[in-house]
Amino acid sequence: MISANLSAVFYLVSGILFILALRGLSSPDTSRQGNFFGIAGMIIAITVTFLSVGNFSNSLIYVFVFLILGGAFGSFIAFKIPMTAMPELVAGFHSLVGLAAVFVAIAAFLSPSVFNLGTSGNIKLASLIEMSIGAAVGAITFSGSIIAFLKLRGIMSGAPITFSGQHFINLFLGLGILVLIFYLCKNQSTNIFWTVILISFLIGVLLIIPIGGADMPVVISMLNSYSGWAAAGIGFTLENTALIITGALVGSSGAILSYIMCKAMNRSFFSVILGGFGAEASSEVSKDKKDQKPVKNGNAEDAAFLMKNASSVIIVPGYGMAVAQAQHALREMVDKLKKNDIKVTYAIHPVAGRMPGHMNVLLAEANVPYDEVFELEDINNDFANADVAFVIGANDVTNPVAKTDPKSPIFGMPVLDVEKSKSVLFVKRSLSPGYAGIDNELFYKDNTLMLFADAKKMTEDIVKNLD
């Protein structure tokens, strides 16, 4: 056992390490260092927690068994899960954090004396409020993350699922939870406590199903924020400084990231939460365009010829590149272009992929130099001077309709000005719409050459033709 004061000091140290971890993860150059800070902070927090708890020798074996199982499972995931599945994995992890908060709240409510919160039916008011809110947010995070996982995995349609009166039902259920928590504080009824949790699970589902695929990166960061606030709420209940600090850091950083993503998309945070982005599926007009407008179809030899005769090429990666695991082949192609004194840069849209930073992580995995990767606002003006824009698997983030059609569900969202390049090489399997469910006008531009193929195979074929 260590004293409460010493525990507080070590928890503070772990909190500082977590802050340094977030700071390190904000840049690819310092991300590895940030990970080490986070690992060190977590080791300190877990060790202090063990030393702070009294005699629990009877259950110690169970603690170690589950630690080993969890560590083994996490290690297996780290080695086996491909980067294409990382967005689903993150959503899955968010769900586990939310569920853990619910379980801790249930344990604290059913056995308050173990946590020094009072006795059953006579729990401290502040603790009851904290555990109720923590359980509600945790339940919303769990069910919402499960829906996000199903959408990302393709098990559930990525299109918004809406019905009449949906927002009023959500508002009614939200107010209902607040009323139930008020009555729970008055009579501490077990039935009311379980009702709060069940309604919260339902709200999590109803909040996420109307959100379209194009908003999924914002949803991922939003759920990350929810999981943090749930952990912080339970931290107050347990009077655990480390949990409060960690939860607040995750919650605030997730909220800030959600705000940044919304700003980058020219969207309000509340409009995303209320759902409906990308609600219009491919219309009949879009289908007519596919049937009537001509599309220039090319091959790897055509693409290689255009790029060999270019002085500057801008690469625009998207989720199609991630699915095909084409980042390494892409790096090989770029290396050959640079040997011919061709300037090559990468343009990253804030919501390219299925989670914030998805494309950056994939390019870093292929050892793409960080100074060649630029965000939308830093490179968008360069497309007008580029000879070739090589779009590999991106779709909605290059769609010019976002700037021209007020009726489009992505109207107003900043997109990469790919169409301003002299030539556009668009690698895609088909003319199918993007995750937002709308046709891409870029397919039919006079300067666009469509390369219909798997992204990795097409890139490898282009590499062969660059010799």
Side-chain angles (χ1 to χ4, degrees), residues 250-274:
V250 174
S252 57
S253 61
I256 292 170
L257 181 58
S258 299
Y259 169 77
I260 293 173
M261 299 291 286
C262 287
K263 186 177 180 182
M265 296 166 63
N266 193 29
R267 300 273 291 159
S268 73
F269 182 76
F270 289 106
S271 65
V272 173
I273 301 304
L274 292 176

Side-chain angles (χ1 to χ4, degrees), residues 148-208:
F149 173 87
L150 296 175
K151 281 176 172 277
L152 290 166
R153 197 69 177 174
I155 299 173
M156 177 183 287
S157 171
I161 300 173
T162 58
F163 54 85
S164 179
Q166 191 169 31
H167 298 322
F168 290 105
I169 292 175
N170 290 344
L171 178 62
F172 175 77
L173 291 175
L175 293 174
I177 286 179
L178 294 178
V179 172
L180 286 172
I181 291 177
F182 173 77
Y183 280 106
L184 177 64
C185 293
K186 291 186 67 176
N187 56 33
Q188 302 198 11
S189 167
T190 303
N191 290 334
I192 292 179
F193 181 74
W194 287 112
T195 303
V196 168
I197 293 177
L198 290 175
I199 293 177
S200 299
F201 280 134
L202 179 60
I203 288 179
V205 174
L206 295 177
L207 277 177
I208 304 302

Side-chain angles (χ1 to χ4, degrees), residues 216-231:
M216 200 49 64
V218 180
V219 173
I220 293 294
S221 57
M222 178 191 72
L223 290 170
N224 178 50
S225 178
Y226 286 178
S227 67
W229 295 125

Side-chain angles (χ1 to χ4, degrees), residues 274-317:
L274 292 176
F277 188 54
E280 296 181 21
S282 298
S283 63
E284 292 300 321
V285 175
S286 296
K287 293 176 183 176
D288 290 341
K289 288 179 181 177
K290 287 183 184 180
D291 294 335
Q292 297 175 5
K293 283 194 173 185
V295 173
K296 293 181 181 179
N297 190 358
N299 54 38
E301 186 178 351
D302 299 325
F305 176 80
L306 283 172
M307 285 194 280
K308 279 193 292 187
N309 290 280
S311 59
S312 63
V313 175
I314 299 179
I315 310 290
V316 181

